Each structure stands twice: as C-alpha cells, then as structure tokens.
Amino acid sequence: AQKITQTQPGMFVQEKEAVTLDCTYDTSDPSYGLFWYKQPSSGEMIFLIYQGSYDQQNATEGRYSLNFQKARKSANLVISASQLGDSAMYFCAMREVSGNTGKLIFGQGTTLQVKP
Amino acid sequence: EAGVAQSPRYKIIEKRQSVAFWCNPISGHATLYWYQQILGQGPKLLIQFQNNGVVDDSQLPKDRFSAERLKGVDSTLKIQPAKLEDSAVYLCASSLEWRSSGNTIYFGEGSWLTVV
C-alpha cells in the first residue's frame, strides 16, 4: 500500500538559511512520481517541485531542490536562502499509475516557520 | 493560463443542512479530483473523474456525498445532510490525465466548510 511519512510536525529556520524537510515513502510500484506542495494559511495548495522515479538527477526549481535517494525511499525538500514568505505548511505526496488511479497520496505535512 | 476555480470560498451551515461546491478545472485537463482536508491533516481523495466518468470514488461517503461532472468540464460536490465532522477544506484539483506520474496536479484555493 502507498504510504508517505513526514516525521517533522514543525520546523523553524532563520531567514536566509537553508532548511531540509524530510519525506519517506513506501511503494512497490517501479513507476511513481513524488511531489512537494506548499500550503499557506490562505489554503491554496501550491505545486513546488516534481521528481520521477526514473529520473537520474535530483530535481531543482529555483530555491527548491529535491534530495532523491531511491534506495532509501526518501525525497527530502531543500529550501535554500529561506524567506519570510516561505512560512507555510509543506506536503510531500506520491503518485503511482501502474494499475492504479494516479491519485496523489499526501503525508501529514510539516509546518515551517521562518524567523526574521 | 487560468487556474482551478472554486466557489464558494467559505460556507457556514448547520448540521443536517445541505451544501454544494463548484469547481472549474484548468482548460484541457481531463482529470478532476475532489479532496477533503481536515484541519492539521493532509488532503484525502474523495472522488476522481476522467472526463465525465468516475475513476475512483472508494473514499466518498456515498450516503451523504455526491459529485458529478456531467459535461466533462466543471464539477459539483454536494453534501446532504451535513455532519459536524464534515467541517474541512474541500480542494478541487485537475491534471491533463492520470496515466502519467509526471502530470502535475494543480489545486484550487479550496472551499472552507464549517458545520455548526
């Protein structure tokens, strides 16, 4: 069964520093996608970054990078040079498609607070 | 490109009343999802449509929840009668189609429901 685990309920980081948000997953499907979303207090789920299971290189999008360790089944999000606007809830999610519906399964989320 | 549109943004109703949420996906997106997000948790899929057909409604409480996507574009999610535990954010999302793990799922701003 699909499972996403985010073990950090809350994190603090100083403005301009880097922070890593942890995510581990469990799947028996060889083809899957891993996503990170940001959810500010307004409620919208904002797509940040995607990593495919067959991708050889770690994904990067601006200040966001995904540390993908396939053997360990981990997909940690790294935010460099944190900004006050990064304060939000962050969700890791996984999508399988083989014999499945392609739905996203979400973790419990990590609340990030950036301190000035 | 317009994003996923949802309305109403906020709704407060009494238990046993009914409520309906509307969603218009991104143009050209064949797959539409309704997720329920209870405060402090990750979103949970309620129902998934591919065009106007249901792909997955295994977690939809069918005794009180219903959803339709009659013309394969916009969709309505209804709750009747509402219970206190239905208080949540209802997120609509869409993607090009579900068979590719890399197709990003984009979310709307959500409809916040409070049942009193």
Side-chain angles (χ1 to χ4, degrees):
Chain A
Q2 300 177 21
K3 187 176 179 181
I4 296 285
T5 303
Q6 295 180 252
T7 57
Q8 307 154 311
M11 292 279 287
F12 288 92
V13 65
Q14 203 69 36
E15 190 178 11
K16 299 180 185 177
E17 291 186 349
V19 63
T20 297
L21 306 183
D22 295 341
C23 172
T24 58
Y25 60 93
D26 186 25
T27 179
S28 56
D29 194 327
S31 177
Y32 54 90
L34 296 159
F35 298 80
W36 277 91
Y37 286 85
K38 171 185 177 182
Q39 189 176 42
S41 56
S42 59
E44 184 181 4
M45 198 73 76
I46 301 167
F47 165 72
L48 295 178
I49 195 166
Y50 161 80
Q51 180 85 43
S53 59
Y54 295 116
D55 293 345
Q56 296 295 315
Q57 292 190 321
N58 288 342
T60 60
E61 288 285 349
R63 294 187 299 112
Y64 304 107
S65 61
L66 201 153
N67 185 358
F68 181 45
Q69 298 188 40
K70 195 170 182 177
R72 295 185 178 183
K73 292 188 175 179
S74 75
N76 298 339
L77 177 70
V78 180
I79 305 175
S80 63
S82 297
Q83 301 172 357
L84 296 178
D86 294 335
S87 294
M89 190 83 158
Y90 288 81
F91 288 96
C92 179
M94 180 174 68
R95 188 181 196 186
E96 296 175 350
V97 291
S98 301
N100 208 302
T101 62
K103 65 185 178 187
L104 275 179
I105 302 293
F106 285 85
Q108 289 294 89
T110 296
T111 300
L112 176 67
Q113 292 191 38
V114 180
K115 297 188 291 184
Chain B
E1 179 182 88
V4 178
Q6 290 188 246
S7 66
R9 191 84 169 88
Y10 304 95
K11 192 75 175 179
I12 301 174
I13 62 172
E14 295 182 350
K15 58 184 179 184
R16 290 187 290 273
Q17 286 187 327
S18 63
V19 64
F21 302 113
W22 173 83
C23 172
N24 193 324
I26 293 173
S27 178
H29 281 194
T31 307
L32 185 146
Y33 310 80
W34 283 102
Y35 281 82
Q36 179 194 56
Q37 185 180 18
I38 298 199
L39 187 64
Q41 298 181 15
K44 180 187 79 172
L45 180 72
L46 291 176
I47 189 166
Q48 175 183 339
F49 293 95
Q50 177 71 12
N51 297 311
N52 59 352
V54 175
V55 176
D56 184 352
D57 63 355
S58 58
Q59 297 193 82
L60 186 74
K62 297 180 184 66
D63 58 334
R64 298 182 301 104
F65 286 66
S66 64
E68 60 183 14
R69 194 185 184 199
L70 292 175
K71 295 183 179 179
V73 181
D74 55 354
S75 175
T76 302
L77 175 71
K78 296 179 181 177
I79 308 173
Q80 181 179 19
K83 291 185 175 181
L84 296 177
E85 59 260 36
D86 298 332
S87 295
V89 180
Y90 292 86
L91 294 162
C92 181
S94 71
S95 69
L96 281 171
E97 65 104 68
W98 64 265
R99 291 178 184 83
S100 170
S101 65
N103 281 336
T104 300
I105 297 179
Y106 295 95
F107 286 80
E109 290 185 313
S111 292
W112 297 63
L113 174 65
T114 301
V115 183
V116 297

